[in-house]
């Protein structure tokens, strides 16, 4: 899976009908972008030149030229690929599996792809800015609901270990109470599978109103979180069966968490090395009978 195609799929549901026609055409006829001018592309896709321009902008590019450049750069970048013998992803309902082996193969494939795709989206500058924001924050408030709450809680536990002033709650009313006290020297970190979640957006809007720094860990797409947060760390994944509750996005988000935590500990090592040693000693100390 390439990054441009992932952006198209992540934004697909929010596109108007004319731009969905463009998206369908691009996904099926990627090579045509390099062979035909925009006028001919519009005719072949049954749309307009304006729809092509709006489509490119909707998925995060300045225009069709920028989109073409992104595809070209991808085609000429040497990236490690999954081996030919690796299990392939089959998008099916949970009741359509025929064996335990096929279940294991599909879960393995989606988990691996979630990690690899998220890795390919890694942006060192965005991570560096996020690390700087977190290290210098007076208080860190971490928010996440549903599956995203697993990654949010994991980051909370890791930051507690190095003695950071971090807050995490599963209860929305407690989250409202803590975010009501956030300020310009604090940072709010939002883990979200779905940026349209009303509880998450309520917390985000309060944090922005109170001028706190904001960081989002979420899927690709143009939405209030990706356009409104100060830093965005993208975690994306294929979902083989949304109805079953299987969700490989947690693997992608946990990759973000581990990378972020390690970068924070590395940046602030002189201040936190004692806490790392203390926590290690406590957990590994032989219990006295």
């Amino acid at each position: 899976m390439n990054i441009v195609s992932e952006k198209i799929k992540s934004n697909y549901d929010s596109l108007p009908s004319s731009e969905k026609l463009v998206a369908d055409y691009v996904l099926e006829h990627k090579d045509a972008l390099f062979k035909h001018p925009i006028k001919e592309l519009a005719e072949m896709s049954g749309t307009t030149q304006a729809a092509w321009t709006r489509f490119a902008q909707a998925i995060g590019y300045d225009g069709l030229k920028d989109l073409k450049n992104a595809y070209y750069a991808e085609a000429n970048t040497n990236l490690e690929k999954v081996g030919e013998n690796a299990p392939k992803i089959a998008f099916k309902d949970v009741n359509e599996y025929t064996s335990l082996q096929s279940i294991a193969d599909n879960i393995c494939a989606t988990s691996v792809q979630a990690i690899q795709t998220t890795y390919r989206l890694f942006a060192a500058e965005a991570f560096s800015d996020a690390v700087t924001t977190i290290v210098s924050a007076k208080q860190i408030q971490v928010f996440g609901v549903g599956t995203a709450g697993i990654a949010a809680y994991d980051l909370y536990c890791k930051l507690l270990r190095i003695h950071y002033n971090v807050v995490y709650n599963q209860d929305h009313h407690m989250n409202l109470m803590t975010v009501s006290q956030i300020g310009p020297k604090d940072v709010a970190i939002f883990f979200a599978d779905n940026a349209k979640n009303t509880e998450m957006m309520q917390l985000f809007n309060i944090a922005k109103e109170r001028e706190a720094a904001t960081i989002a860990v979420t899927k690709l797409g143009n939405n209030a979180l990706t356009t409104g947060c100060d830093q965005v760390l993208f975690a994306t994944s294929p979902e083989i069966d949304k109805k079953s509750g299987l969700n490989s996005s947690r693997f992608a988000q946990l990759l973000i968490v581990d990378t972020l935590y390690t970068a924070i500990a590395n940046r602030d090592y002189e201040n936190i090395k004692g806490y790392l040693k203390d926590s290690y000693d406590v957990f590994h100390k032989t219990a006295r009978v």
Side-chain angles (χ1 to χ4, degrees):
M1 180 179 292
N2 58 63
I3 297 173
V4 180
S5 295
E6 182 65 19
K7 286 185 177 182
I8 295 172
K9 293 174 182 177
S10 296
N11 286 279
Y12 189 86
D13 290 341
S14 63
L15 295 174
S17 56
S18 60
E19 292 167 35
K20 283 182 178 178
L21 290 175
V22 178
D24 293 336
Y25 188 84
V26 172
L27 290 172
E28 294 180 11
H29 308 284
K30 180 174 62 177
D31 293 343
L33 270 67
F34 303 98
K35 299 178 180 178
H36 304 281
I38 188 172
K39 181 179 179 181
E40 293 180 10
L41 290 172
E43 293 175 353
M44 291 186 291
S45 61
T47 58
T48 64
Q49 296 183 47
W52 275 79
T53 301
R54 290 195 303 269
F55 162 75
Q57 294 171 344
I59 63 171
Y61 298 99
D62 293 335
L64 183 58
K65 182 178 179 180
D66 193 26
L67 173 61
K68 288 182 179 180
N69 288 339
Y71 261 134
Y72 183 81
E74 258 185 13
N76 289 277
T77 300
N78 293 322
L79 294 168
E80 184 177 352
K81 298 183 183 295
V82 178
E84 293 181 1
N85 296 323
K88 301 299 187 289
I89 296 174
F91 292 87
K92 58 177 65 179
D93 288 339
V94 69
N95 63 316
E96 294 176 347
Y97 291 102
T98 57
S99 68
L100 284 173
Q101 186 63 54
S102 65
I103 293 173
D105 287 348
N106 226 22
I107 297 301
C108 175
T110 55
S111 301
V112 168
Q113 184 167 302
I115 293 172
Q116 288 189 326
T117 306
T118 298
Y119 171 72
R120 294 180 67 179
L121 294 172
F122 177 79
E125 184 176 353
F127 264 85
S128 179
D129 291 342
V131 170
T132 299
T133 299
I134 294 170
V135 169
S136 60
K138 181 180 179 182
Q139 185 183 69
I140 304 156
Q141 296 191 12
V142 184
F143 304 103
V145 295
T147 304
I150 297 172
Y153 180 70
D154 189 48
L155 179 61
Y156 164 71
C157 292
K158 283 179 166 61
L159 294 180
L160 272 184
R161 184 184 179 190
I162 56 176
H163 209 63
Y164 274 41
N165 182 14
V166 57
V167 179
Y168 170 79
N169 292 292
Q170 290 184 315
D171 182 80
H172 182 57
H173 291 92
M174 290 294 292
N175 282 330
L176 287 173
M177 183 182 71
T178 55
V179 79
S180 70
Q181 300 170 7
I182 205 168
K185 295 182 179 180
D186 303 323
V187 58
I189 306 176
F190 300 93
F191 286 80
D193 290 325
N194 180 5
K196 295 180 181 180
N197 181 278
T198 54
E199 292 182 355
M200 188 63 64
M201 294 313 303
Q202 184 180 17
L203 297 168
F204 166 72
N205 289 330
I206 294 172
K208 291 295 289 186
E209 289 171 3
R210 298 187 63 81
E211 299 182 350
T214 52
I215 299 172
V217 179
T218 188
K219 292 183 177 182
L220 287 165
N222 289 334
N223 53 61
L225 281 181
T226 57
T227 59
C229 281
D230 299 310
Q231 284 101 38
V232 182
L233 309 178
F234 289 113
T236 192
S237 62
E239 301 304 345
I240 54 178
D241 177 20
K242 295 181 179 179
K243 292 182 291 184
S244 71
L246 297 173
N247 195 325
S248 59
S249 63
R250 67 186 181 279
F251 292 101
Q253 292 168 349
L254 289 172
L255 171 64
I256 298 292
V257 168
D258 284 353
T259 305
L260 195 57
Y261 167 73
T262 304
I264 291 168
N266 175 270
R267 177 86 62 88
D268 202 24
Y269 185 71
E270 289 305 313
N271 292 320
I272 59 91
K273 61 183 179 181
Y275 300 120
L276 286 174
K277 181 180 183 302
D278 291 342
S279 60
Y280 178 87
D281 289 344
V282 167
F283 284 118
H284 293 81
K285 186 176 182 180
T286 303
R288 294 180 180 178
V289 180

